[in-house]
Amino acid sequence: MFSQDKGFFSVDYHYLRPKDDEYGRLIGTSLDEFKNHVNFFMENFKMINLKNIFDFYYNQILIQNGLSITFDDGLSDHYYAAKILYDNKISGTFFVPSCIFSDKLPPNPTIIHYAIAIHGLKKFLNEYRIILDELNLDILRFEIGR
C-alpha cells in the first residue's frame, strides 16, 4: 500500500522459505531474498511500526518515506523473518488468524497451498473433482482451474 499524500509504504509477506526446501512448488520469498529485501529497505526507507502509523492517523505526525513490513497467516516461516528483523532492529507486524488457536488448524488457503505444493496442481484438481462428485455437488458450479 502506498499513498503519495501519506508518505509511507507497507510490504506484506506470506511464505518465506529456505532456498531448497521440500515445498519447492510453494510460491514465496526465499529467506536469502528476504534478507536482501530488508537490506534494501533499510538503505532506502525509514522503517516504521504500528505506533508510527497510529501516530500518523490519530496524532497527525507526518511520516516521510516510511516503510512497514507485515506478515499474513501466522506461518512457521515467520519465525525466521522475526529473527532477521530482530537482528536488524526492525519491527514487523504479524497477523495471525484466530482459527490457528480456536480450531488448531491452519487457515484453509494455507492447507490448499501446501496440498498443491506437495501433490501438484493436476493431482489436486483431480482429487477436488472426485470429492465434488462424491458429495453430489454441481461440478460445473464449483469448477476451478479450467
Side-chain angles (χ1 to χ4, degrees):
M1 163 178 68
F2 175 70
S3 174
Q4 203 79 35
D5 59 324
K6 290 186 174 73
F8 63 89
F9 295 85
S10 180
V11 178
D12 181 54
Y13 288 92
H14 289 269
Y15 300 106
L16 295 168
R17 311 299 307 166
K19 200 170 205 162
D20 298 317
D21 79 329
E22 61 189 297
Y23 303 105
R25 293 179 179 158
L26 194 61
I27 296 175
T29 304
S30 76
L31 290 173
D32 289 337
E33 285 177 300
F34 180 69
K35 288 177 189 175
N36 290 336
H37 292 181
V38 168
N39 289 331
F40 175 81
F41 298 153
M42 289 176 26
E43 290 173 8
N44 293 283
F45 297 94
K46 175 187 179 213
M47 302 310 296
I48 61 174
N49 57 35
L50 285 181
K51 182 182 180 331
N52 301 128
I53 294 170
F54 179 89
D55 285 342
F56 171 82
Y57 282 107
Y58 293 101
N59 300 324
Q60 283 76 47
I61 296 176
L62 295 177
I63 299 171
Q64 293 299 318
N65 200 37
L67 180 83
S68 72
I69 301 176
T70 64
F71 301 85
D72 282 355
D73 300 331
L75 303 169
S76 61
D77 309 6
H78 300 164
Y79 169 79
Y80 301 105
K83 283 184 67 169
I84 293 166
L85 295 179
Y86 177 82
D87 290 344
N88 288 284
K89 298 177 178 57
I90 297 173
S91 294
T93 303
F94 296 82
F95 295 100
V96 180
S98 61
C99 66
I100 290 173
F101 304 107
S102 60
D103 302 337
K104 298 189 183 350
L105 291 171
N108 289 338
T110 304
I111 295 169
I112 292 170
H113 295 163
Y114 276 93
I116 292 170
I118 293 167
H119 302 292
L121 183 59
K122 186 174 181 178
K123 181 165 176 54
F124 173 82
L125 289 174
N126 286 338
E127 294 296 321
Y128 174 76
R129 291 181 188 112
I130 289 168
I131 291 168
L132 288 177
D133 188 51
E134 288 175 359
L135 295 173
N136 294 318
L137 294 173
D138 182 0
I139 291 176
L140 293 177
R141 180 171 174 216
F142 295 101
E143 181 62 28
I144 56 175
R146 286 206 182 174

